[in-house]
Amino acid sequence: MTFKRRDFLNTAGATALGAMAGNSFAQAGGSSLKISHQFPGGTLTEGDFRDRLCRRFAAEVEKRTNGALKSSVYAGSSLMKTNAQFSSMRKGALDMSLVPLSYAGGEVAETNIGLMPALVPSYEQAAAWKNAEVGKLLAKVLDDKGILIVSWVWQAGGVASRTRALLTPDDAKGLKVRGGSREMDMMLKQAGASVITLPSNEIYASMQTGAMDAAMTSSTSFISFKLEEIAKHLTSGRDKTYWFMLEPLMISKEVFGKLPKAQQDVVMAVGAEMEIFGRDAARADDKIAADVYAKAGAAVVDMDEATLKKWQTIARATAWKDFSDRNESCAALLKAAQKLA
């Protein structure tokens, strides 16, 4: 992932704003948490499930602590820019965030495994990460960087495109595509695509202007960001897909350490309980996205096992190899993940 000047400015601006967030936490004596995310806001029962997960988490934590630990949810990158959230949590300048883990790939190479093409084939295998060797290794990497995972949230995804369907590797030739991670981009480049790097909340504008032909993202983002208004084709994530993203709810280790032990236990317990809600909602959105796009007039296609294996062959020779070669930690993560196959 290339760290652009725009990202630097976002980070710089967010650091100042985030510092205020951290200060407000300290001044409140640990009684209030700020939860940031990039997705559209809603309510406890309506809207993007990632926003609902944050709100459900906040409500349940407040309830179980008898109001001693409250939380405020800031949707749509309203507290700070998307790409600044991870680094701000590391510094204790942001309390919590639900953010695609691979967005931190330029800062912590190991996090790119959160969107490794064709590595995770199902929600069942994704759910197994948390208690498996790969999950423990990843949690240790993040802990060392100052971040704790509160809820392990995985999402399947696909491709929305303006001009033609992007299903097979041959379809990628000549298209300008947003993959979502450094490793996903490597696979796309090998297939003949040009890659675009930006957060999912900027996809609509880029596709609308024609700067981008196709975008890979989660099924939920396909719905929430209303890409059906401009996309004419959808490769659905409801069956087979090479696109599974780890999008966890995380907390700053520094902030977590300031909480009383009883509140720490509540935060982690509620976070674990939110994982079932997240998995069920993500799986439901895979089907809902296909229905929404079909209703809007887009051509919807599904990936079969044979096509998935073609992409996996490319991913193994490019993204997987590159990731494994980066350092011993990355190699150990990939090896551990493959044990779940």
Side-chain angles (χ1 to χ4, degrees):
M1 181 179 292
T2 303
F3 193 73
K4 299 180 179 178
R5 179 176 180 274
R6 181 193 63 191
D7 298 328
F8 171 79
L9 293 174
N10 287 344
T11 303
T15 299
L17 181 56
M20 291 188 287
N23 288 339
S24 68
F25 175 85
Q27 290 167 3
S31 63
S32 180
L33 296 171
K34 287 182 168 63
I35 307 175
S36 174
H37 68 74
Q38 74 201 62
F39 309 104
T43 67
L44 277 171
T45 57
E46 300 291 334
D48 189 303
F49 90 80
R50 295 161 297 195
D51 178 73
R52 285 186 286 138
L53 187 149
C54 292
R55 294 180 191 280
R56 288 167 67 110
F57 168 84
E60 190 62 23
V61 167
E62 182 174 349
K63 175 183 175 183
R64 294 192 194 181
T65 60
N66 296 316
L69 183 57
K70 302 178 185 293
S71 304
S72 299
V73 178
Y74 295 83
S77 299
S78 58
L79 182 64
M80 64 175 59
K81 296 295 185 179
T82 304
N83 289 331
Q85 293 176 109
F86 186 86
S87 60
S88 294
M89 279 190 292
R90 289 186 62 189
K91 301 167 187 172
L94 173 63
D95 302 333
M96 299 186 71
S97 178
L98 192 155
V99 64
L101 191 63
S102 62
Y103 283 16
E107 186 173 348
V108 180
E110 290 88 344
T111 62
N112 272 312
I113 201 167
L115 185 52
M116 185 65 61
L119 180 63
V120 177
S122 67
Y123 284 102
E124 289 72 25
Q125 192 174 119
W129 273 44
K130 179 179 180 178
N131 296 314
E133 180 187 2
V134 63
K136 292 175 182 177
L137 288 174
L138 183 57
K140 178 62 166 57
V141 168
L142 292 173
D143 184 277
D144 289 344
K145 299 298 182 181
I147 287 179
L148 305 176
I149 295 181
V150 175
S151 295
W152 291 71
V153 182
W154 285 88
Q155 291 188 267
V159 192
S161 52
R162 297 168 59 249
T163 54
R164 64 175 188 266
L166 202 177
L167 177 62
T168 71
D170 287 341
D171 296 331
K173 290 182 174 63
L175 291 181
K176 294 173 288 186
V177 187
R178 183 262 188 188
S181 74
R182 180 178 183 274
E183 279 67 21
M184 195 66 70
D185 289 349
M186 291 186 71
M187 182 182 72
L188 287 167
K189 285 180 181 178
Q190 184 63 30
S194 299
V195 299
I196 306 292
T197 302
L198 44 76
S200 59
N201 57 323
E202 297 178 19
I203 290 174
Y204 188 103
S206 187
M207 285 187 69
Q208 187 179 43
T209 61
M212 183 167 61
D213 299 313
M216 297 178 177
T217 191
S218 67
S219 298
T220 307
S221 289
F222 282 136
I223 302 166
S224 293
F225 295 126
K226 300 185 181 300
L227 299 183
E228 77 276 7
E229 295 177 358
I230 47 179
K232 303 301 180 184
H233 303 271
L234 178 72
T235 300
S236 168
R238 62 187 170 183
D239 189 9
K240 306 294 183 184
T241 181
Y242 48 66
W243 204 99
F244 260 93
M245 171 178 272
L246 177 55
E247 205 161 19
L249 176 62
M250 296 175 281
I251 189 168
S252 163
K253 185 178 177 180
E254 179 180 328
V255 169
F256 186 78
K258 294 176 182 177
L259 297 175
K261 178 63 166 57
Q263 292 183 6
Q264 291 179 348
D265 291 344
V266 169
V267 165
M268 299 310 292
V270 173
E273 292 169 16
M274 291 297 108
E275 291 166 1
I276 297 174
F277 166 76
R279 184 168 69 250
D280 290 346
R283 200 191 298 267
D285 280 352
D286 293 337
K287 297 177 180 178
I288 293 171
D291 293 340
V292 167
Y293 279 68
K295 185 177 181 180
V300 179
V301 295
D302 296 302
M303 186 175 293
D304 58 23
E305 186 68 26
T307 302
L308 176 57
K309 287 188 179 300
K310 289 180 181 179
W311 283 108
Q312 190 177 60
T313 297
I314 298 173
R316 192 185 300 274
T318 56
W320 293 18
K321 183 180 185 303
D322 178 82
F323 181 79
S324 184
D325 289 346
R326 289 181 72 108
N327 58 51
E328 291 183 4
S329 177
C330 288
L333 278 169
L334 185 63
K335 184 178 180 180
Q338 289 178 274
K339 291 178 180 178
L340 295 176

